[in-house]
Amino acid sequence: MNTMELAFAHGGAPLTARLRVSAEDFRVDEELGYGADGDGEHVFLTIEKRGLTTDEATQKIARFAGVKPVAIGIAGMKDRHAVTTQAVSVQLAGKVEPDWSALTSDSLRVVAHARHRRKLKRGALAGNRFELRLREVQGDRAQAECVLVAIAARGVPNHYGEQRFGRRGDNVEQALAMFRGARVERKLGAILLSAARSHLFNRVLDQRVRDSSWDRAIDGEVYCLAGSRSWFGPEAFDDALAARLASGDIHPSGPLWGRGELPSRSVSAALEQAQADAEPELVAGLLAAGLEQDRRPLRLIPRGFAWSWCDDDSLLLRFALPAGAYATTVVRELATTQ
């Protein structure tokens, strides 16, 4: 199942539009949730890049600073075809700090820098802020307004976006080949394992969208805490859980497949197991890889969701998402893009 086949939560995208006509149409600002310590052997950089992958940007920084790539730390990866800001740490133990203002080009510049005690770790971020411009917008604007209001109020299904499945969309097929014995590099292997897990999650979520339970509890539900990787349940659904679910403090969840018993029960477990049973090779490969059961929220509620129609037939969207969520998943409910 590719992302084009996934069900819509709000009736289908009423618009067509172009996204990323220019890098400036897709702006992303990383939210770490903390700042630099003020001292230490690492330098905490805030960089702005465009037209570069995060790997390409960090390679430039390492060469400029005269350090090995292992001395560089990041919290997350950012899009190439975008204007993005993010944090990068550079370990300079015993080295003279360079003049960061000299590291300036059309594709990369250092916005701020300060000393820090620790290397930035992958995943150590709160989320990202987005400003996206959809151009050459066509379609039913009245219906689009209804969808925009629904997204602001209810959120969207928290699908893994197409980026997770590779440029050619064949990461799941490559994962199957790997499980059948094909040799791959360690870094690629980790990517393929993530794609296999994501595919199974999307299958479960797609079924929950089709039966209108993606944003409500069903029997045997396990809940994810908003803004956290913690989850709990199942437990008897009561007024307190209902209030937390309605406020967005907790979300229904789906499985990230691995070893161990499903924590869900009853209707929820049966639905999840049925989707896993439809992909036995993927499940067997993930179990053999030693991954443990985990959970991901089924619902994604953008923070500060706002929009404005512009005179040039474009639509400007602003919102923030937690780490691991995809802006294209939000856009998908509103517009078919190219």
Side-chain angles (χ1 to χ4, degrees):
M1 176 183 295
N2 62 47
T3 56
M4 297 296 291
E5 298 172 326
L6 297 171
F8 292 91
H10 302 304
L15 303 176
T16 61
R18 295 184 66 196
L19 181 60
R20 303 182 199 254
V21 173
S22 69
E24 286 72 19
D25 289 345
F26 201 104
R27 292 182 175 269
V28 188
D29 295 305
E30 191 174 73
E31 296 181 322
L32 285 181
Y34 62 92
D37 298 326
D39 57 43
E41 65 179 24
H42 299 265
V43 179
F44 191 104
L45 304 178
T46 301
I47 65 166
E48 180 186 89
K49 67 177 185 64
R50 68 187 68 207
L52 294 176
T53 66
T54 297
D55 283 344
E56 290 168 343
T58 56
Q59 288 167 15
K60 285 178 177 286
I61 292 169
R63 288 195 298 269
F64 180 81
V67 300
K68 295 180 178 180
V70 71
I72 305 294
I74 59 170
M77 305 293 284
K78 296 291 175 288
D79 299 76
R80 175 201 294 268
H81 303 295
V83 177
T84 69
T85 62
Q86 70 179 107
V88 176
S89 68
V90 184
Q91 187 173 20
L92 291 176
K95 290 183 174 290
V96 176
E97 184 171 352
D99 177 7
W100 298 111
S101 66
L103 183 62
T104 301
S105 67
D106 292 339
S107 60
L108 178 66
R109 70 185 182 97
V110 174
V111 177
H113 59 92
R115 285 284 173 165
H116 197 56
R117 294 191 182 94
R118 297 171 298 279
K119 182 178 182 178
L120 285 173
K121 299 295 185 182
R122 289 288 186 99
L125 72 161
N128 298 284
R129 297 190 312 276
F130 296 88
E131 183 176 294
L132 311 182
R133 186 178 295 273
L134 304 180
R135 296 189 181 274
E136 299 177 25
V137 176
Q138 297 182 24
D140 187 335
R141 290 199 178 187
Q143 182 59 29
E145 282 288 329
C146 293
V147 173
L148 287 162
V149 170
I151 292 173
R154 293 178 59 196
V156 300
N158 191 24
H159 293 119
Y160 282 101
E162 60 186 10
Q163 303 96 310
R164 180 56 65 100
F165 303 106
R167 290 184 181 179
R168 297 188 300 272
D170 64 349
N171 280 4
V172 175
E173 287 75 14
Q174 288 191 65
L176 284 169
M178 178 178 68
F179 296 154
R180 293 166 185 160
R183 293 187 177 183
V184 300
E185 295 180 359
R186 183 175 179 179
K187 184 176 180 180
L188 176 59
I191 292 171
L192 299 182
L193 287 174
S194 293
R197 250 184 162 187
S198 302
H199 174 75
L200 292 171
F201 175 87
N202 275 3
R203 283 190 64 113
V204 171
L205 177 51
D206 183 64
Q207 186 58 47
R208 295 284 295 260
V209 174
R210 292 179 190 277
D211 66 20
S212 300
S213 68
W214 63 277
D215 62 346
R216 64 177 178 85
I218 61 176
D219 288 345
E221 189 72 71
V222 173
Y223 304 94
C224 283
L225 293 170
S228 168
R229 295 181 180 177
S230 299
W231 44 272
F232 68 94
E235 58 185 67
F237 193 69
D238 57 16
D239 290 344
L241 280 179
R244 295 180 69 187
L245 190 62
S247 71
D249 179 50
I250 59 175
H251 304 290
S253 73
L256 297 176
W257 213 269
R259 296 186 301 185
E261 184 181 2
L262 275 172
S264 55
R265 295 290 183 269
S266 185
V267 175
S268 178
L271 184 154
E272 293 169 7
Q273 189 63 55
Q275 296 305 314
D277 290 345
E279 302 275 7
E281 280 194 272
L282 290 182
V283 171
L286 290 169
L287 297 180
L291 297 177
E292 301 290 339
Q293 287 278 347
D294 204 352
R295 306 292 290 187
R296 174 180 169 90
L298 296 179
R299 178 174 63 172
L300 172 63
I301 301 179
R303 290 185 288 109
F305 188 72
W307 64 92
S308 56
W309 298 93
C310 306
D311 293 338
D312 60 353
D313 290 328
S314 67
L315 174 62
L316 189 64
L317 304 175
R318 295 187 179 91
F319 53 90
L321 298 178
Y326 293 80
T328 50
T329 295
V330 177
V331 174
R332 178 183 180 274
E333 287 285 330
L334 177 67
T336 300
T337 60
Q338 58 179 356

